[in-house]
Structure formats: C-alpha cells, structure tokens
Amino acid sequence: MANFTTVEWKNDHVLMIDQTKLPNEEIYVKLYTAREVADAITNMIVRGAPAIGVSAAFGLALGIKQSQAKSVTQLKTEFESLTKMLFETRPTAVNLKWALDRMRKVFEACHLVIPGERSETRDPIPKIKSALEKEALQIHAEDIEINRAMGKNGEKLIRNNANIMTYCNTGALAAAGYGTALGVVRAAYENKKKFHVYVCETRPYLQGLRLTSWELQKEDIPHTVISDNMAAWLMAQKKVDGIFVGADRIAKNGDTANKIGTYNLAVLAKYHSVPFYVVAPTSTIDWECPSGKEIPIEERSAKEVTHVQGHLIGLKDVNVYNPAFDVTPSELITAIVTEKGVFKPNQLEF
Ligand code: MRU
C-alpha cells in the first residue's frame, strides 16, 4: 500500500496531494468546495482515471453536504448543476461519469424511499446527504480493493527477472491508493518477484518521469527512466519482456484510450513481438461506446508542451497541438487485465 494520500475525505474538505508539484515538493491541498475539487481535476492536482472518478464523487458529496436546500426538489436541482460542473472537468476518462452515475442512483433511490405524499415535510435531506457521503466513501474503498484484485490477476504476467515497461502514471497517484498497471507491478514486488521497470518519461506532462519514478523509488522497486523515443531501441535489443499501461476509456470492442503516446508503444510492441497489456477496472469499460472512434479526446493547453513545470522551453507563440490521449486499436492489445480476470480485448463480454 502506498505511504501517501492521493485523495481523502475529511468530512468538511477533501484532501489531495498536489501532483503538479511532485516529485520535488510533497504538498497537500485542502479543498473546501465542490468548485475547488472540480478545478483540482481540471488543473491536474489530481489525475488518472480512477482517481478522477473518486475525486468527483467526493466533490459531489461535499457540495451536497454544504447545501442549504429546503426541499428535495431544490436539492435535486443543485445535485444536477454540481454533477454537470464535475462532469465537464475532463472528457476522456469514463470513470468520472461512472462515479457520478453511481451517485445519481443513490440520490434517486433515497428519493424513492420517501413515502410520496408527505415527503417534503419528513425532511429526507439529511438522509440523502449522508447516503451520498457513504457512497463516495464506498467508491474510494472499492477502488483500492479492485486495484488489488487486478494486481493479483496481472502479476502472473510478470516472470522473474523480467524487464517490463510502463507509460504515464498508473500507480497509487492515479487511483485511490494502489494503482492499475503500476498496481500490477506493486503486486509482483509484494510477491517477492525480481524484475526491473523501464519508465517512459511521458511527454508532454511527464507523468512517468515525475510521478511513476517517485512512486517506484518510495517502494524501492528497481527502475530506469527513459525518454519516450528510446522505447523502440530497447525493444529492438530485446530488453523489454512486456508493456503494462492503464486506460482512460475502453470501448466495447476493446479499443483503448490512454495517455498520448500509448498507441506509439503498442505499434512498436507489435513489430517487436512484445506483449502489450492494458490494466484497468471494469468501470473503465464504456459499454455504450462501440469503438475507439466514438471516444472523446481531450485537448489541453499549449503550455503543457511549451513549458515544463512552469518554465518556458519553447517559443512563446509557436503553434501547438496537444491531444492528451490517443486510442490504441484492440488488435494491438495482447490482453486486458481487470479485477474480474484477464481477457482478450475482443472478448469483453461479461
Ligand atoms: O492526463 P492524465 O495524467 O490524467 O492521464 C492518465 C492516464 O492516461 C493513465 O494512464 C490512465 O488514467 C489510467 S491510470 C490508472
């Protein structure tokens, strides 16, 4: 288990480690409103698909807890506008919608429990507030359990003395506290396996260099950081036995959206016959999305390309294209590791 807090419920606020400052500063921020939580998601204080889902649920629970609504109808109106605000923070990771949908079901269930005619006078509002808080905490706790189950399923794919490669940050920082693809790495290490990890730096935002290496160093897991363009050369030299990445949204046909650059790695892996594994909870599968073509791809600020942690390294006014994710076609994916087992990408029916 990681020895830091990615995101935590503190009753009157949400606590998060500020991932924009890592690895050089370990600073925690306290967010006292749903708006602050939404901004933290947009501004990457918290990031990674499962962590975004958990944070959105906490943000919604916090906003509802602070509501002064005098009727369920009024509370419902506030619920809808808070949900919309949180939903609009980042478009690609489907875990965000998944978590907000779970919260909605709880709201609706509470609402239905109220015996119709005199519901407003019975004041069910405290009940709804506490049910939503409970559900958000449940989403948080379940995420850790699910990550552990994925770790158990996936670590079997790492043999002793293997050299594996990861992309972006898929660790405890990207989830509630264990990790998806890096959770598999963590599980293999807990299982006393010996192996080595190549960490791709992950331009433009450098989640590999800044966050994954920080997490691995804390656990003493042997690793080497490479810049992204070194991956092919390592594979050509037969120095990579498997690649483990996370996912922000998996379409029904197995096409997978993940951090920009994942697709490059999958193409290289196919050419060099290196197994390419996606590790993600089933909440990352969007059953309503038939293929990768329908996955919305977030475009982020040009500054993420021209600047490194606030320092301008390119021309100030140069044209920049900055899609935050790409889609790896399912035929390039060897298997998808979930908490329910390991599946071929074209066999996601369960
Ligand atoms: O833009 P980010 O840092 O939120 O992107 C994160 C990723 O692409 C991860 O690989 C993905 O969320 C899966 S991690 C659990």
Side-chain angles (χ1 to χ4, degrees), residues 44 47-50 90 168 170 174 180 207 246-248 258-259 325:
M44 310 276 274
R47 37 129 321 267
R90 296 196 71 191
C168 193
T170 59
T180 60
Q207 288 93 329
D248 284 80
N258 192 50
K259 181 52 50 195
F325 302 95

Side-chain angles (χ1 to χ4, degrees), residues 1 13 31 33 54 102 109 217 228-229 266 277 289-290 327:
M1 196 59 195
H13 67 275
L31 309 166
T33 64
V54 170
R102 262 183 72 157
Q217 194 179 69
D228 301 330
N229 52 0
Y277 300 111
C289 185
V327 176

Side-chain angles (χ1 to χ4, degrees), residues 247-316:
D248 284 80
R249 190 182 302 222
I250 302 174
K252 206 173 162 197
N253 71 346
D255 291 351
T256 294
N258 192 50
K259 181 52 50 195
I260 188 78
T262 303
Y263 176 36
N264 290 21
L265 278 186
V267 172
L268 293 174
K270 187 76 165 182
Y271 183 79
H272 294 97
S273 303
V274 174
F276 187 87
Y277 300 111
V278 168
V279 186
T282 50
S283 56
T284 305
I285 304 171
D286 184 352
W287 300 107
E288 287 164 20
C289 185
S291 78
K293 283 196 212 91
E294 290 80 24
I295 299 178
I297 299 295
E298 175 184 11
E299 273 190 49
R300 293 188 59 87
S301 149
K303 266 186 136 183
E304 289 183 359
V305 175
T306 54
H307 292 62
V308 172
Q309 282 200 313
H311 298 288
L312 179 68
I313 53 169
L315 291 173
K316 211 166 110 205

Side-chain angles (χ1 to χ4, degrees), residues 138-158:
Q138 180 69 17
I139 291 172
H140 182 267
E142 271 175 29
D143 186 68
I144 297 174
E145 273 173 43
I146 286 170
N147 283 193
R148 282 193 177 278
M150 288 191 297
K152 219 169 157 189
N153 292 335
E155 73 90 20
K156 299 183 185 100
L157 302 166
I158 300 179

Side-chain angles (χ1 to χ4, degrees), residues 71-76 106-129 131:
S71 69
V72 176
T73 313
Q74 203 185 333
L75 192 68
K76 183 81 165 99
V106 167
F107 193 113
E108 281 163 6
C110 287
H111 206 353
L112 287 176
V113 167
I114 307 152
E117 3 34 283
R118 302 189 57 81
S119 62
E120 297 292 308
T121 52
R122 285 186 48 157
D123 192 14
I125 290 177
K127 208 163 139 191
I128 296 176
K129 288 183 175 181

